[in-house]
Amino acid sequence: MRKVKKAAGILLALTLAASLVTGCGGSSSKAQEEKDTLTVAITGDPPTLDPHASSTSSSVNNLNPVYETLVRYDDDGEIKPLLATEWKRLDDLNWEFKLRDDVYFHNGEKMTANDVLYSFKRATGPDGAKVSYIMSAIDADNCKVVDDNTIIIATHEPFSPLVGYLPYIGAVVVSEKEFTEDPEKAAQNPVGTGPFKFVSWAKNDRCVYERNDEYWGDKPAYKNLVIRTIVEANSRVIELESGNIDIAFDIPANDVERLENNKDTAIVKRASTIVEYMVMNVTKKPLDDVRVRQAIDWALDENAILTAVWRGNAQYSPTTVAPSMKYFDDSDTDCRYDVEKAKALLAEAGVSDLHLKLTCAENTNRLNEATIIQDMLAQVGITVEIQSYEAGTFYDMVDAGETEIFLIGFGAVGFPEPDNNIYGPFNSKQIPTNNMGFYSDPEMDKMLEAQRNTSDGPEREQIIKDIQKYLRVNLPVIPVANTEQVLGIRSNVKGFVPTPAGSHFFQNVHFENAEQ
């Protein structure tokens, strides 16, 4: 009897405690409700929500919840069907794709091959300048709609790796109706076929999405998705630790151990296709002299930069093709560092008392990197002034050719094809859209076109490796680091797998202990 009374007393105490919590506004139903919203923090605001007008990671990650492509890379890097069910190559220039017949846009319109054709025409036209270095391989004028669920995609030249390019943001399928009726609205209020519907965009703050309950595929386990722009890395970490966000991009190296040791947070890592490098605007004297560019290269101790800035979360990459990508040239991977050689090259070029402005977007790692570069270049007589700007302003300056040397990260956002890491940055036709150093070299252009027109295999591999060797000599950019993606998550976040190409998807995420 005594045990029964004791149990009853405990039950009464628990009931009273629960009622007190409820009275303070902290009910368990509210806790469950909070778990129906996934909040992600990224490092910059998207310049646009038009998928054909930007290929920056901020735009891509804000558009992934809404738009879809014909195919997608899975977690193991293998191509899988998405909006397309099957495909085959008909001849050197034509590919046939069969489409799903159960896909609807968020406006209720059924997706057909006409939407795919319209999307590719727009991506390869004037509206697609920012994605043209990938999408220009497609000959949209000769693409043909066979029926509602079949399209033939044509290319200008034989282009064997076509399917590997189609997970790219520029190849998403948009609603023809939305963009023809009100293109300005469509560019700011995306309407796609994906697992989330776009709700709102508060610039420099957040994009908000809601679950697409009519989605053709597996529906997300939670109702709401919020992608916040938090530029300052320390602020992202604090918000993660406090539970205000669930996933945080780009965790600084000095915060990794603390988050790993916190029972409420965890770290997720994956090798990336992104290479951090310093671009030199070759239209600015004396940077048009290859000896000056080589001198700057020899003055930089990239291994020291890696240790100080990334602290084990990056590796040296001698070229813009990341070591994890196919056709990486591993024949010359040593970091070049020789202060006396750098001085000799400057003297040979007749350059002394050189002053340069080093520009970067507001980013903790890049500002730290810039400070170290400033000190290293001072050792060879180059005075560097560091300038940092909000991301939008920074890229406007780059496009306008107003910068001298600047730091960026560039890589295959959405797919791990090496062409992305060399064609856009170095083909003269991509000035200034993606070739931000205004580098024009007929020999480079020839090699870049040749690798695109060659089937995957030993011949194409050799061309791409020759390109990497050529870049190490001519140095339009100086690669510093192939970064490892380091993201922070709350411990109750499950099912999130980052992609190597930094183009992340959140529909498979669920919360531990939440109802599935």
Side-chain angles (χ1 to χ4, degrees), residues 226-390:
V226 178
I227 300 181
R228 293 177 55 187
T229 296
I230 304 179
V231 175
E232 175 56 46
N234 288 337
S235 297
R236 290 196 301 277
V237 172
I238 291 171
E239 290 288 88
L240 180 68
E241 290 177 311
S242 65
N244 292 328
I245 60 176
D246 301 297
I247 299 175
F249 283 30
D250 290 4
I251 299 298
N254 58 345
D255 292 311
V256 169
E257 184 177 357
R258 188 176 77 256
L259 291 176
E260 287 179 326
N261 292 332
N262 185 339
K263 66 180 179 60
D264 295 322
T265 58
I267 290 292
V268 180
K269 296 182 180 182
R270 187 161 189 179
S272 80
T273 57
I274 306 297
V275 176
E276 293 275 340
Y277 55 77
M278 184 168 70
V279 183
M280 292 169 282
N281 185 337
V282 296
T283 67
K284 306 286 188 181
K285 291 186 178 297
L287 297 173
D288 59 334
D289 189 327
V290 67
R291 293 170 297 182
V292 175
R293 303 197 298 271
Q294 290 171 344
I296 293 174
D297 184 31
W298 283 103
L300 300 183
D301 183 353
E302 288 89 352
N303 285 328
I305 297 173
L306 288 174
T307 300
V309 177
W310 284 280
R311 302 185 185 182
N313 295 314
Q315 61 181 328
Y316 175 60
S317 180
T319 79
T320 58
V321 177
S324 62
M325 300 176 80
K326 67 179 180 181
Y327 305 154
F328 169 69
D329 179 28
D330 61 359
S331 65
D332 181 12
T333 59
D334 291 337
C335 168
R336 296 170 179 170
Y337 177 57
D338 188 328
V339 170
E340 295 308 315
K341 185 163 186 173
K343 290 179 179 178
L345 283 164
L346 289 172
E348 182 183 325
V351 173
S352 61
D353 193 29
L354 178 58
H355 288 67
L356 293 172
K357 293 178 180 178
L358 173 56
T359 312
C360 65
E362 293 172 342
N363 175 290
T364 301
N365 281 345
R366 287 182 193 153
L367 283 168
N368 291 338
E369 181 185 359
T371 301
I372 298 170
I373 289 174
Q374 181 185 50
D375 291 340
M376 289 179 176
L377 292 184
Q379 301 302 311
V380 299
I382 300 175
T383 301
V384 171
E385 176 188 345
I386 298 172
Q387 299 179 333
S388 66
Y389 299 91
E390 176 272 328

Side-chain angles (χ1 to χ4, degrees), residues 55-287:
S55 59
T56 65
S57 61
S58 57
S59 288
V60 171
N61 282 293
N62 270 291
L63 291 170
N64 279 342
V66 176
Y67 286 118
E68 294 181 306
T69 49
L70 298 180
V71 297
R72 179 178 292 172
Y73 286 99
D74 66 12
D75 293 341
D76 297 318
E78 300 294 327
I79 289 285
K80 298 295 182 183
L82 194 60
L83 295 179
T85 58
E86 57 183 287
W87 53 89
K88 63 181 177 181
R89 191 172 190 175
L90 302 178
D91 54 45
D92 283 349
L93 302 181
N94 294 282
W95 301 67
E96 181 185 81
F97 285 78
K98 295 287 187 179
L99 309 178
R100 298 185 65 94
D101 63 358
D102 59 349
V103 178
Y104 290 83
F105 288 104
H106 301 152
N107 60 7
E109 297 285 324
K110 189 171 185 179
M111 184 205 75
T112 71
N114 286 307
D115 294 296
V116 180
L117 178 60
Y118 173 81
S119 300
F120 284 8
K121 284 187 173 182
R122 188 172 189 272
T124 55
D127 291 318
K130 284 288 186 180
V131 297
S132 64
Y133 72 107
I134 296 298
M135 299 305 293
S136 61
I138 293 175
D139 180 5
D141 290 338
N142 284 308
C143 293
K144 300 180 182 68
V145 171
V146 178
D147 56 45
D148 280 355
N149 299 317
T150 309
I151 186 169
I152 294 175
I153 298 177
T155 59
H156 292 287
E157 303 287 345
F159 195 58
S160 293
L162 172 71
V163 178
Y165 284 69
L166 293 181
Y168 178 58
I169 187 65
V172 299
V173 178
V174 303
S175 165
E176 180 178 10
K177 178 181 180 180
E178 292 290 323
F179 274 95
T180 53
E181 289 185 353
D182 192 341
E184 289 188 9
K185 178 184 177 183
Q188 302 303 318
N189 297 270
V191 173
T193 61
F196 292 94
K197 296 180 178 180
F198 174 79
V199 175
S200 63
W201 177 21
K203 290 189 176 182
N204 297 310
D205 182 22
R206 68 189 62 203
C207 286
V208 178
Y209 313 81
E210 63 183 6
R211 182 172 59 203
N212 176 15
D213 287 326
E214 288 76 44
Y215 183 55
W216 62 267
D218 293 334
K219 298 173 183 60
Y222 56 95
K223 292 181 180 178
N224 307 301
L225 172 64
V226 178
I227 300 181
R228 293 177 55 187
T229 296
I230 304 179
V231 175
E232 175 56 46
N234 288 337
S235 297
R236 290 196 301 277
V237 172
I238 291 171
E239 290 288 88
L240 180 68
E241 290 177 311
S242 65
N244 292 328
I245 60 176
D246 301 297
I247 299 175
F249 283 30
D250 290 4
I251 299 298
N254 58 345
D255 292 311
V256 169
E257 184 177 357
R258 188 176 77 256
L259 291 176
E260 287 179 326
N261 292 332
N262 185 339
K263 66 180 179 60
D264 295 322
T265 58
I267 290 292
V268 180
K269 296 182 180 182
R270 187 161 189 179
S272 80
T273 57
I274 306 297
V275 176
E276 293 275 340
Y277 55 77
M278 184 168 70
V279 183
M280 292 169 282
N281 185 337
V282 296
T283 67
K284 306 286 188 181
K285 291 186 178 297
L287 297 173

